[in-house]
Amino acid sequence: MNYVSDGVPKHRENALAIGMLEQGRGGAPSASVLNRLAESLLLTELERQHLFMLALGRPPELRYRPVEGITPRLQRGLDAFPASAAIVKTVTWDVVAWNRVATVLLTDYGKLSPPERNILRLLFCSPKARQAQKDWSKVARVVVGAFRADVTRAGSSLEASRLIDELSTVSAEFKALWADTDVVGMSEGVKRLRHPVAGIINLEFSNFSVEGRPELGVVVFNPAKPADVRRVQTLLSSA
């Protein structure tokens, strides 16, 4: 039988905690107690979030878990954008899904190995990706700050630590930015892309979480102006 540190069986502690939550007694439970409750009750991620909101008034921390792909329904959602690039990224900023516009406009992720499909590796290690940024220094600072925010929400993980160590070793610029400890929100903004064929393309981007999968984020890049739409459409027609 599994016991917690005070000698109380886990299943009994869970039952006691549930009863206290229902009766409103004992104050707010700890996050670890809520996580054990969620695990013992086999709650889905959405139900786990609801449990935390009821007990603590806030969502739970993100949980890192390897992502091998997305549902066909979500992929169809990405493919429905006729002129907007859309990608799905993980907490460690691995790109795990994309649409055709992203392939033409951003990067042909299908030609890269899974480890190479990482936004930070591309930004700091790929000369081509660096050249595509109209203001690389500004973009790099914002991306590192937003990545730090994601890692903080998710809690420390071996995968994030390995990526940080790797990038700090191969890129002095990443190491310096990481040492600054800036945290940046990146829910939306404007990106100026320097495309080798179409020239400068202005894109408005928005970030969305995936319902029930808080470790995944969808980023959509919309052409900002009619001229940008025409440039994207020309690229798509010639691809």
Side-chain angles (χ1 to χ4, degrees):
M1 181 178 292
N2 293 325
Y3 287 82
V4 293
S5 58
D6 60 0
V8 179
K10 282 187 177 181
H11 75 276
R12 183 181 175 189
E13 185 192 51
N14 290 341
L16 291 173
I18 291 174
M20 293 172 67
L21 280 176
E22 291 175 341
Q23 298 171 29
R25 295 187 295 108
S30 67
S32 61
V33 167
L34 292 177
N35 279 324
R36 288 199 295 271
L37 283 173
E39 291 172 0
S40 67
L41 296 174
L42 302 179
L43 299 186
T44 65
E45 186 61 30
L46 186 59
E47 290 168 337
R48 175 173 168 261
Q49 292 178 43
H50 184 62
L51 177 65
F52 267 73
M53 292 301 297
L54 285 175
L56 301 180
R58 63 168 178 83
E61 75 285 356
L62 295 179
R63 285 176 166 177
Y64 176 86
R65 49 179 172 174
V67 179
E68 296 182 355
I70 62 171
T71 64
R73 179 173 295 177
L74 180 54
Q75 182 63 60
R76 289 192 292 271
L78 302 183
D79 295 336
F81 292 104
S84 300
I87 63 173
V88 177
K89 66 180 181 64
T90 67
V91 170
T92 52
W93 288 48
D94 291 316
V95 177
V96 295
W98 55 91
N99 65 0
R100 178 172 177 264
V101 186
T103 297
V104 173
L105 193 59
L106 303 177
T107 300
D108 191 348
Y109 298 102
K111 293 183 178 180
L112 303 177
S113 66
E116 293 175 315
R117 298 172 193 160
N118 181 275
I119 295 172
L120 286 105
R121 285 194 181 101
L122 288 169
L123 186 62
F124 286 94
C125 303
S126 168
K128 181 178 178 181
R130 184 177 186 130
Q131 179 63 25
Q133 312 305 316
K134 183 65 173 64
D135 187 347
W136 184 90
S137 297
K138 180 180 179 180
V139 171
R141 179 171 294 278
V142 170
V143 164
V144 171
F147 170 67
R148 187 194 312 281
D150 282 353
V151 169
T152 301
R153 284 196 298 269
S156 60
S157 72
L158 181 60
E159 291 76 10
S161 297
R162 285 174 174 171
L163 179 60
I164 294 165
D165 290 344
E166 172 196 331
L167 293 173
S168 297
T169 299
V170 300
S171 172
E173 291 160 314
F174 175 86
K175 184 176 181 180
L177 289 173
W178 188 256
D180 281 347
T181 68
D182 288 342
V183 177
V184 178
M186 207 172 74
S187 59
E188 59 182 21
V190 177
K191 177 183 181 67
R192 299 196 70 196
L193 181 72
R194 183 188 287 116
H195 194 275
V197 175
I200 299 298
I201 301 177
N202 300 288
L203 301 168
E204 295 177 337
F205 66 83
S206 300
N207 284 273
F208 307 92
S209 61
V210 179
E211 185 74 17
R213 297 291 301 277
E215 78 280 10
L216 294 180
V218 177
V219 189
V220 180
F221 300 87
N222 297 306
K225 302 176 181 179
D228 300 308
V229 175
R230 290 193 294 271
R231 291 187 182 98
V232 173
Q233 290 173 337
T234 298
L235 288 172
L236 291 171
S237 63
S238 61

